[in-house]
Amino acid sequence: MAEDINEKKNSEDFEEKTNKLPPLNADADDGSATVIRDANETVMGSSPDMEMLVLGARFVVISGQDTGKEFLITNKDMIAGRGDDCDFRLDYKGVSRRHFKISYANGKVMLEDLESKFGTILKGNKIGGPVALCSGDMIQLGELTLKFIIGEEKKAGKPGAKLMLVAFIAVFIIGGAGMLKLMLGSKQPAEPQPPAAVSDSSQASSISGVSSTASPSEIENKIHEAQTFAQNNDYGSALAIIDKVVAMNPTHSEALALQKMWRENLSLTAKLDQARRLFEAGSLEQAQILTKQILDASPQEQEAIDLADKIKKAKESQSVKGVLEDARKLSNEGRFDAAKNLLQTIKDAAWKPQVDDLMNEIDTKIQIEVIYKDAKALFNSGDLKGSLEKVREGLRQASQHNELKQLEVKIEMVQKLQEEAEKNLNSPMPLSAREPLQKMIHECGDANPLSAKAKDSLAQLNAKSSILAHIAYQEALAQAADGNFPEAIGQLNQLVKDFPQETYFRESRDDLALRLDNLGKSLFRAGYVLEDQEPLKAKEIWLRLLNFLPKEHIYAQKIKSKMRNLGLSR
């Protein structure tokens, strides 16, 4: 009976203890991921993945006042950023609301930027799509620097986050096993095992040559060794030694002071290296933020001062390049005064050659524009020769100037039309001058004196058109009466073209053409009948017919083909 009472009491005590442990799938208050603010505090996120907990992947802050703060990756898909809905809440300058995503697949932890404002920098380069992370990788987000770690990273005097979680899980599993045993009705409580004896010698084991019983001289030697590394800027090795010294003698004031100083220097060195990588990658804004943070912490850091000066000059250079591009754009748009005013804002002497070149280019454009305007004014006044001279003067300086090239083509065209019109006006068929005169008016425009002159010539032609048409018609009829049918057809065709409104010209031409067709058909057939018995007579008929028909007439072509086939020469 006493055994039953003791067993019941032991089981109740164990159940009470295990019930106080937070369940692994309990929701955190804010839905955030596991956050380890120091070595002894762990807040579990919602529904952690056991595989991820065992993996022990996490981010460690290595910049600013939150150095050492850890973010454990507890699920296979997690979001980091400033937003309240993010799994990792990173409230730092330069971090976007949703900055990057972490995912786990095929044994790899993948990092992917979510189109953040300043980007995610991995190993000095901006990333885009998913990139696999390796333990020890440094990640820059604005002024925040994170270190990615998988598994244990030894720290003097503090258990690792993964070790803490494994212990937590072990307690939970052991508690569950105990509860299961009680539920199955075990009658005999487990015999408690005595703790393993810990010898004094194990507690005083040596750490890199410094034991718990190390003498002051030994500690001083190690401090001196660490200072030698620090003098060579190898703060990592210096800290590795001084951390072990502090672990053995936590009250050693000199070791504590050196530890604090070197940790700050190590953080500044890492930031400086990252700032250099950002600068070399062209991420000037982020490099400037990081460099300012370094100088705020250490104003006399010469390398940071030099880097800040380089960043300043690079940004100034970018600004000047932008001004030059804007000025060139204004120049190409013909806004020359605005372009020159913009160039005058550049005061840096180093950019004087580029500014002078663009100024000269703009001055040349202004001069060409003046030449073009003068040439166009001469053309509009009717001075084709003077206008063409101006145009070619401008093209000698700017051979690809579109407006000058187009004006040159127009002037040469008008000159040819002018020559053609004058030639036709002085010919027996002056009405053929109509077409070039009309084209001149179209090319020159109504206000041009050349157009006015062309209109006068057209008016004179129209006044004489009836008389000229009658004379030409009578000549055509006379040619037909004399048997000169090709000449008559040609004159009638011209009259139809020049006077399309006069229907009797077309009717006379069509009537004469019909008569020629009938004549050609009759005589061609007559020769065709005689070609076998009397080929010479057939030839005579065909030759007479050729004198009546125009060269392009269909029966003229047939006669020539027949004579070639018969071997008859004309």
Side-chain angles (χ1 to χ4, degrees):
M1 183 68 177
E3 291 178 357
D4 292 340
I5 293 172
N6 288 335
E7 181 178 12
K8 180 178 182 181
K9 184 177 185 302
N10 290 336
S11 65
E12 289 175 351
D13 291 343
F14 187 78
E15 182 178 3
E16 180 182 358
K17 291 178 182 179
T18 55
N19 285 339
K20 292 180 181 179
L21 293 172
L24 287 177
N25 61 350
D27 291 340
D29 292 341
D30 58 357
S32 62
T34 300
V35 179
I36 305 177
R37 293 178 177 79
D38 57 47
N40 299 313
E41 181 182 1
T42 302
V43 179
M44 295 303 299
S46 60
S47 303
D49 186 286
M50 296 300 295
E51 182 180 356
M52 298 307 296
L53 292 178
V54 173
L55 181 66
R58 60 196 182 277
F59 294 107
V60 181
V61 178
I62 63 169
S63 62
Q65 61 183 7
D66 292 333
T67 297
K69 185 174 181 179
E70 297 190 359
F71 299 88
L72 189 66
I73 302 174
T74 59
N75 285 290
K76 293 182 179 178
D77 288 291
M78 304 184 80
I79 303 296
R82 287 190 297 104
D84 293 336
D85 58 340
C86 290
D87 301 301
F88 299 130
R89 185 97 194 293
L90 307 176
D91 195 5
Y92 298 90
K93 289 182 179 179
V95 178
S96 297
R97 194 182 67 81
R98 288 170 63 85
H99 200 107
F100 68 78
K101 176 182 177 182
I102 285 295
S103 57
Y104 180 77
N106 301 322
K108 293 182 180 180
V109 178
M110 309 299 291
L111 174 68
E112 179 180 2
D113 185 75
L114 298 178
E115 298 183 357
S116 59
K117 181 176 181 181
F118 293 112
T120 301
I121 310 300
L122 176 63
K123 300 178 183 177
N125 297 311
K126 283 187 179 181
I127 66 168
V131 178
L133 288 175
C134 299
S135 187
D137 281 348
M138 307 295 285
I139 302 164
Q140 186 71 34
L141 320 169
E143 68 173 19
L144 177 64
T145 303
L146 299 174
K147 183 177 181 181
F148 175 70
I149 298 172
I150 295 181
E152 288 300 316
E153 185 180 52
K154 295 181 180 179
K155 295 183 180 180
K158 294 185 180 181
K162 181 179 177 183
L163 184 58
M164 291 175 63
L165 282 169
V166 172
F168 176 80
I169 296 166
V171 171
F172 180 78
I173 293 172
I174 292 169
M179 290 295 294
L180 180 63
K181 185 175 181 181
L182 287 174
M183 291 173 64
L184 293 174
S186 174
K187 297 301 182 180
Q188 296 296 330
E191 188 71 23
Q193 297 296 324
V198 180
S199 66
D200 293 339
S201 60
S202 65
Q203 292 179 359
S205 61
S206 173
I207 301 178
S208 185
V210 182
S211 67
S212 60
T213 58
S215 65
S217 61
E218 288 177 314
I219 290 179
E220 291 302 318
N221 288 337
K222 286 299 176 184
I223 290 176
H224 178 72
E225 181 183 354
Q227 287 174 328
T228 302
F229 282 111
Q231 288 170 0
N232 294 320
N233 295 322
D234 187 356
Y235 296 110
S237 299
L239 270 173
I241 297 173
I242 209 69
D243 285 346
K244 293 168 184 175
V245 172
V246 171
M248 301 310 300
N249 190 346
T251 61
H252 196 289
S253 58
E254 183 181 2
L256 290 171
L258 290 173
Q259 185 186 52
K260 179 180 178 182
M261 180 178 67
W262 290 344
R263 280 180 179 172
E264 292 175 354
N265 288 342
L266 184 61
S267 176
L268 290 176
T269 301
K271 285 184 179 179
L272 189 58
D273 289 341
Q274 183 63 18
R276 287 197 195 94
R277 288 193 292 270
L278 289 170
F279 171 73
E280 291 168 358
S283 302
L284 301 183
E285 289 292 339
Q286 295 189 56
Q288 190 175 49
I289 292 172
L290 200 54
T291 305
K292 183 179 182 301
Q293 187 180 8
I294 295 169
L295 291 174
D296 288 344
S298 181
Q300 304 303 319
E301 180 62 45
Q302 189 58 47
E303 290 187 39
I305 293 172
D306 294 341
L307 182 57
D309 185 57
K310 289 181 180 179
I311 294 171
K312 180 182 177 183
K313 290 180 179 178
K315 292 189 73 175
E316 289 174 352
S317 177
Q318 279 187 347
S319 176
V320 172
K321 286 180 180 178
V323 172
L324 285 171
E325 289 174 2
D326 290 343
R328 191 176 298 281
K329 182 178 179 181
L330 290 170
S331 172
N332 292 336
E333 294 172 355
R335 300 165 63 185
F336 303 122
D337 290 340
K340 294 180 80 171
N341 290 336
L342 195 58
L343 288 175
Q344 288 171 358
T345 64
I346 301 175
K347 304 299 182 183
D348 191 342
W351 291 90
K352 189 176 185 303
Q354 290 89 328
V355 172
D356 289 345
D357 287 345
L358 188 50
M359 279 285 194
N360 292 334
E361 183 180 322
I362 293 171
D363 288 337
T364 300
K365 286 185 177 181
I366 292 173
Q367 185 179 359
I368 296 300
E369 287 301 311
V370 171
I371 291 174
Y372 172 69
K373 289 179 181 178
D374 290 345
K376 196 170 183 181
L378 288 170
F379 175 80
N380 291 334
S381 70
D383 185 357
L384 296 181
K385 183 179 179 181
S387 178
L388 189 59
E389 289 176 355
K390 274 289 181 184
V391 166
R392 289 174 177 169
E393 177 188 346
L395 289 174
R396 282 194 292 271
Q397 300 180 51
S399 59
Q400 300 304 314
H401 194 281
N402 287 332
E403 288 82 0
L404 285 172
K405 290 168 69 176
Q406 291 172 4
L407 185 54
E408 181 184 39
V409 171
K410 179 178 282 192
I411 294 169
E412 291 175 345
M413 181 187 298
V414 172
Q415 285 180 331
K416 289 180 180 179
L417 291 172
Q418 193 177 45
E419 292 172 1
E420 183 180 353
E422 290 176 357
K423 179 181 178 181
N424 291 341
L425 286 171
N426 297 321
S427 70
M429 299 292 292
L431 291 177
S432 59
R434 277 182 171 178
E435 185 176 352
L437 288 172
Q438 289 170 346
K439 287 182 179 180
M440 279 181 61
I441 295 170
H442 174 73
E443 292 294 333
C444 296
D446 291 337
N448 196 304
L450 295 176
S451 295
K453 186 177 179 181
K455 288 177 182 179
D456 289 341
S457 298
L458 281 175
Q460 292 174 13
L461 282 176
N462 291 333
K464 298 176 181 179
S465 61
S466 297
I467 299 173
L468 293 172
H470 182 71
I471 293 172
Y473 180 63
Q474 293 300 323
E475 289 178 354
L477 294 179
Q479 292 284 0
D482 293 339
N484 297 325
F485 297 115
E487 290 79 359
I489 286 289
Q491 288 179 340
L492 289 172
N493 279 332
Q494 187 64 44
L495 286 169
V496 170
K497 181 180 178 182
D498 292 339
F499 302 96
Q501 72 279 7
E502 300 294 346
T503 58
Y504 69 93
F505 292 153
R506 181 178 290 102
E507 291 171 355
S508 298
R509 180 200 63 183
D510 293 345
D511 181 65
L512 180 59
L514 180 60
R515 291 175 183 274
L516 283 175
D517 287 345
N518 292 332
L519 178 63
K521 185 185 295 185
S522 299
L523 292 180
F524 179 76
R525 287 181 176 178
Y528 182 78
V529 171
L530 297 172
E531 65 177 335
D532 291 333
Q533 288 87 10
E534 300 182 53
L536 293 179
K537 194 167 186 177
K539 176 183 175 183
E540 182 181 350
I541 294 172
W542 284 337
L543 288 176
R544 184 181 301 175
L545 180 58
L546 285 176
N547 291 329
F548 295 123
L549 297 176
K551 293 181 180 179
E552 66 276 7
H553 196 279
I554 185 172
Y555 282 105
Q557 301 300 322
K558 286 184 177 183
I559 289 169
K560 291 177 183 178
S561 176
K562 272 287 185 185
M563 292 178 67
R564 282 196 299 271
N565 293 337
L566 294 173
L568 300 173
S569 59
R570 184 170 181 176

PDB file of all heavy atoms in Angstrom, residues 52-71:
ATOM      1  N   MET A  52      13.804  20.709 -38.933  1.00  0.00           N
ATOM      2  CA  MET A  52      14.530  21.982 -38.903  1.00  0.00           C
ATOM      3  C   MET A  52      15.137  22.231 -37.533  1.00  0.00           C
ATOM      4  O   MET A  52      16.220  22.796 -37.397  1.00  0.00           O
ATOM      5  CB  MET A  52      13.600  23.132 -39.290  1.00  0.00           C
ATOM      6  CG  MET A  52      13.041  23.049 -40.698  1.00  0.00           C
ATOM      7  SD  MET A  52      14.325  22.835 -41.950  1.00  0.00           S
ATOM      8  CE  MET A  52      15.222  24.364 -41.765  1.00  0.00           C
ATOM      9  N   LEU A  53      14.417  21.817 -36.467  1.00  0.00           N
ATOM     10  CA  LEU A  53      14.961  21.983 -35.113  1.00  0.00           C
ATOM     11  C   LEU A  53      16.245  21.169 -34.948  1.00  0.00           C
ATOM     12  O   LEU A  53      17.218  21.638 -34.371  1.00  0.00           O
ATOM     13  CB  LEU A  53      13.923  21.571 -34.075  1.00  0.00           C
ATOM     14  CG  LEU A  53      12.670  22.458 -33.956  1.00  0.00           C
ATOM     15  CD1 LEU A  53      11.719  21.889 -32.933  1.00  0.00           C
ATOM     16  CD2 LEU A  53      13.053  23.878 -33.594  1.00  0.00           C
ATOM     17  N   VAL A  54      16.224  19.951 -35.465  1.00  0.00           N
ATOM     18  CA  VAL A  54      17.422  19.100 -35.370  1.00  0.00           C
ATOM     19  C   VAL A  54      18.557  19.676 -36.215  1.00  0.00           C
ATOM     20  O   VAL A  54      19.724  19.618 -35.841  1.00  0.00           O
ATOM     21  CB  VAL A  54      17.083  17.658 -35.803  1.00  0.00           C
ATOM     22  CG1 VAL A  54      18.343  16.810 -35.881  1.00  0.00           C
ATOM     23  CG2 VAL A  54      16.084  17.042 -34.837  1.00  0.00           C
ATOM     24  N   LEU A  55      18.201  20.272 -37.374  1.00  0.00           N
ATOM     25  CA  LEU A  55      19.236  20.873 -38.237  1.00  0.00           C
ATOM     26  C   LEU A  55      19.983  21.990 -37.514  1.00  0.00           C
ATOM     27  O   LEU A  55      21.187  22.143 -37.660  1.00  0.00           O
ATOM     28  CB  LEU A  55      18.594  21.418 -39.516  1.00  0.00           C
ATOM     29  CG  LEU A  55      19.546  22.045 -40.537  1.00  0.00           C
ATOM     30  CD1 LEU A  55      20.476  20.985 -41.116  1.00  0.00           C
ATOM     31  CD2 LEU A  55      18.749  22.715 -41.658  1.00  0.00           C
ATOM     32  N   GLY A  56      19.250  22.794 -36.733  1.00  0.00           N
ATOM     33  CA  GLY A  56      19.902  23.846 -35.955  1.00  0.00           C
ATOM     34  C   GLY A  56      20.401  25.002 -36.788  1.00  0.00           C
ATOM     35  O   GLY A  56      21.409  25.627 -36.454  1.00  0.00           O
ATOM     36  N   ALA A  57      19.712  25.309 -37.898  1.00  0.00           N
ATOM     37  CA  ALA A  57      20.129  26.446 -38.730  1.00  0.00           C
ATOM     38  C   ALA A  57      19.592  27.740 -38.128  1.00  0.00           C
ATOM     39  O   ALA A  57      18.459  27.788 -37.642  1.00  0.00           O
ATOM     40  CB  ALA A  57      19.604  26.273 -40.152  1.00  0.00           C
ATOM     41  N   ARG A  58      20.394  28.820 -38.194  1.00  0.00           N
ATOM     42  CA  ARG A  58      19.980  30.083 -37.580  1.00  0.00           C
ATOM     43  C   ARG A  58      20.790  31.232 -38.153  1.00  0.00           C
ATOM     44  O   ARG A  58      21.815  31.036 -38.814  1.00  0.00           O
ATOM     45  CB  ARG A  58      20.147  30.028 -36.058  1.00  0.00           C
ATOM     46  CG  ARG A  58      21.602  29.777 -35.604  1.00  0.00           C
ATOM     47  CD  ARG A  58      21.622  29.340 -34.154  1.00  0.00           C
ATOM     48  NE  ARG A  58      22.981  29.132 -33.649  1.00  0.00           N
ATOM     49  CZ  ARG A  58      23.674  28.020 -33.836  1.00  0.00           C
ATOM     50  NH1 ARG A  58      23.150  27.022 -34.535  1.00  0.00           N
ATOM     51  NH2 ARG A  58      24.896  27.899 -33.334  1.00  0.00           N
ATOM     52  N   PHE A  59      20.311  32.449 -37.886  1.00  0.00           N
ATOM     53  CA  PHE A  59      21.032  33.677 -38.217  1.00  0.00           C
ATOM     54  C   PHE A  59      21.486  34.336 -36.916  1.00  0.00           C
ATOM     55  O   PHE A  59      20.724  34.378 -35.939  1.00  0.00           O
ATOM     56  CB  PHE A  59      20.138  34.650 -38.992  1.00  0.00           C
ATOM     57  CG  PHE A  59      19.744  34.163 -40.347  1.00  0.00           C
ATOM     58  CD1 PHE A  59      18.450  33.725 -40.591  1.00  0.00           C
ATOM     59  CD2 PHE A  59      20.665  34.129 -41.376  1.00  0.00           C
ATOM     60  CE1 PHE A  59      18.087  33.270 -41.835  1.00  0.00           C
ATOM     61  CE2 PHE A  59      20.305  33.675 -42.630  1.00  0.00           C
ATOM     62  CZ  PHE A  59      19.015  33.240 -42.871  1.00  0.00           C
ATOM     63  N   VAL A  60      22.699  34.866 -36.952  1.00  0.00           N
ATOM     64  CA  VAL A  60      23.241  35.566 -35.781  1.00  0.00           C
ATOM     65  C   VAL A  60      23.562  36.994 -36.188  1.00  0.00           C
ATOM     66  O   VAL A  60      24.207  37.224 -37.215  1.00  0.00           O
ATOM     67  CB  VAL A  60      24.522  34.875 -35.262  1.00  0.00           C
ATOM     68  CG1 VAL A  60      25.053  35.602 -34.033  1.00  0.00           C
ATOM     69  CG2 VAL A  60      24.225  33.416 -34.927  1.00  0.00           C
ATOM     70  N   VAL A  61      23.078  37.967 -35.419  1.00  0.00           N
ATOM     71  CA  VAL A  61      23.372  39.377 -35.682  1.00  0.00           C
ATOM     72  C   VAL A  61      24.811  39.651 -35.271  1.00  0.00           C
ATOM     73  O   VAL A  61      25.214  39.340 -34.144  1.00  0.00           O
ATOM     74  CB  VAL A  61      22.415  40.298 -34.895  1.00  0.00           C
ATOM     75  CG1 VAL A  61      22.769  41.759 -35.132  1.00  0.00           C
ATOM     76  CG2 VAL A  61      20.975  40.032 -35.306  1.00  0.00           C
ATOM     77  N   ILE A  62      25.601  40.239 -36.171  1.00  0.00           N
ATOM     78  CA  ILE A  62      27.002  40.545 -35.837  1.00  0.00           C
ATOM     79  C   ILE A  62      27.290  42.031 -36.032  1.00  0.00           C
ATOM     80  O   ILE A  62      28.426  42.437 -36.250  1.00  0.00           O
ATOM     81  CB  ILE A  62      27.974  39.704 -36.691  1.00  0.00           C
ATOM     82  CG1 ILE A  62      27.812  40.034 -38.177  1.00  0.00           C
ATOM     83  CG2 ILE A  62      27.790  38.230 -36.438  1.00  0.00           C
ATOM     84  CD1 ILE A  62      28.912  39.433 -39.026  1.00  0.00           C
ATOM     85  N   SER A  63      26.221  42.872 -35.989  1.00  0.00           N
ATOM     86  CA  SER A  63      26.432  44.307 -36.148  1.00  0.00           C
ATOM     87  C   SER A  63      25.558  45.058 -35.155  1.00  0.00           C
ATOM     88  O   SER A  63      24.453  44.629 -34.824  1.00  0.00           O
ATOM     89  CB  SER A  63      26.078  44.739 -37.578  1.00  0.00           C
ATOM     90  OG  SER A  63      24.721  44.489 -37.849  1.00  0.00           O
ATOM     91  N   GLY A  64      26.058  46.197 -34.653  1.00  0.00           N
ATOM     92  CA  GLY A  64      25.273  47.080 -33.811  1.00  0.00           C
ATOM     93  C   GLY A  64      25.092  46.562 -32.404  1.00  0.00           C
ATOM     94  O   GLY A  64      25.751  45.608 -31.948  1.00  0.00           O
ATOM     95  N   GLN A  65      24.133  47.193 -31.712  1.00  0.00           N
ATOM     96  CA  GLN A  65      23.939  46.879 -30.311  1.00  0.00           C
ATOM     97  C   GLN A  65      23.294  45.513 -30.091  1.00  0.00           C
ATOM     98  O   GLN A  65      23.306  44.981 -28.980  1.00  0.00           O
ATOM     99  CB  GLN A  65      23.062  47.951 -29.667  1.00  0.00           C
ATOM    100  CG  GLN A  65      21.657  48.045 -30.292  1.00  0.00           C
ATOM    101  CD  GLN A  65      20.842  49.157 -29.690  1.00  0.00           C
ATOM    102  OE1 GLN A  65      21.365  49.938 -28.900  1.00  0.00           O
ATOM    103  NE2 GLN A  65      19.578  49.230 -30.046  1.00  0.00           N
ATOM    104  N   ASP A  66      22.709  44.931 -31.142  1.00  0.00           N
ATOM    105  CA  ASP A  66      22.078  43.620 -31.018  1.00  0.00           C
ATOM    106  C   ASP A  66      23.017  42.476 -31.375  1.00  0.00           C
ATOM    107  O   ASP A  66      22.561  41.358 -31.635  1.00  0.00           O
ATOM    108  CB  ASP A  66      20.837  43.548 -31.908  1.00  0.00           C
ATOM    109  CG  ASP A  66      19.729  44.456 -31.416  1.00  0.00           C
ATOM    110  OD1 ASP A  66      19.685  44.719 -30.200  1.00  0.00           O
ATOM    111  OD2 ASP A  66      18.913  44.910 -32.234  1.00  0.00           O
ATOM    112  N   THR A  67      24.331  42.756 -31.414  1.00  0.00           N
ATOM    113  CA  THR A  67      25.301  41.714 -31.754  1.00  0.00           C
ATOM    114  C   THR A  67      25.108  40.511 -30.837  1.00  0.00           C
ATOM    115  O   THR A  67      25.022  40.642 -29.612  1.00  0.00           O
ATOM    116  CB  THR A  67      26.733  42.258 -31.603  1.00  0.00           C
ATOM    117  OG1 THR A  67      26.914  43.327 -32.526  1.00  0.00           O
ATOM    118  CG2 THR A  67      27.758  41.174 -31.896  1.00  0.00           C
ATOM    119  N   GLY A  68      25.025  39.322 -31.440  1.00  0.00           N
ATOM    120  CA  GLY A  68      24.819  38.099 -30.675  1.00  0.00           C
ATOM    121  C   GLY A  68      23.389  37.616 -30.690  1.00  0.00           C
ATOM    122  O   GLY A  68      23.114  36.461 -30.369  1.00  0.00           O
ATOM    123  N   LYS A  69      22.455  38.471 -31.067  1.00  0.00           N
ATOM    124  CA  LYS A  69      21.045  38.068 -31.135  1.00  0.00           C
ATOM    125  C   LYS A  69      20.873  37.019 -32.234  1.00  0.00           C
ATOM    126  O   LYS A  69      21.445  37.146 -33.312  1.00  0.00           O
ATOM    127  CB  LYS A  69      20.188  39.294 -31.437  1.00  0.00           C
ATOM    128  CG  LYS A  69      18.697  39.044 -31.407  1.00  0.00           C
ATOM    129  CD  LYS A  69      17.952  40.365 -31.572  1.00  0.00           C
ATOM    130  CE  LYS A  69      16.455  40.184 -31.531  1.00  0.00           C
ATOM    131  NZ  LYS A  69      15.730  41.477 -31.668  1.00  0.00           N
ATOM    132  N   GLU A  70      20.105  35.960 -31.941  1.00  0.00           N
ATOM    133  CA  GLU A  70      19.975  34.848 -32.877  1.00  0.00           C
ATOM    134  C   GLU A  70      18.526  34.652 -33.311  1.00  0.00           C
ATOM    135  O   GLU A  70      17.593  34.893 -32.543  1.00  0.00           O
ATOM    136  CB  GLU A  70      20.509  33.556 -32.261  1.00  0.00           C
ATOM    137  CG  GLU A  70      22.006  33.615 -31.943  1.00  0.00           C
ATOM    138  CD  GLU A  70      22.560  32.266 -31.554  1.00  0.00           C
ATOM    139  OE1 GLU A  70      21.776  31.301 -31.509  1.00  0.00           O
ATOM    140  OE2 GLU A  70      23.772  32.174 -31.302  1.00  0.00           O
ATOM    141  N   PHE A  71      18.355  34.202 -34.561  1.00  0.00           N
ATOM    142  CA  PHE A  71      17.047  33.884 -35.128  1.00  0.00           C
ATOM    143  C   PHE A  71      17.112  32.445 -35.639  1.00  0.00           C
ATOM    144  O   PHE A  71      17.810  32.176 -36.623  1.00  0.00           O
ATOM    145  CB  PHE A  71      16.702  34.836 -36.272  1.00  0.00           C
ATOM    146  CG  PHE A  71      16.624  36.278 -35.870  1.00  0.00           C
ATOM    147  CD1 PHE A  71      17.751  37.080 -35.886  1.00  0.00           C
ATOM    148  CD2 PHE A  71      15.418  36.829 -35.461  1.00  0.00           C
ATOM    149  CE1 PHE A  71      17.685  38.400 -35.508  1.00  0.00           C
ATOM    150  CE2 PHE A  71      15.347  38.155 -35.096  1.00  0.00           C
ATOM    151  CZ  PHE A  71      16.479  38.945 -35.104  1.00  0.00           C
TER     152      PHE A  71
END
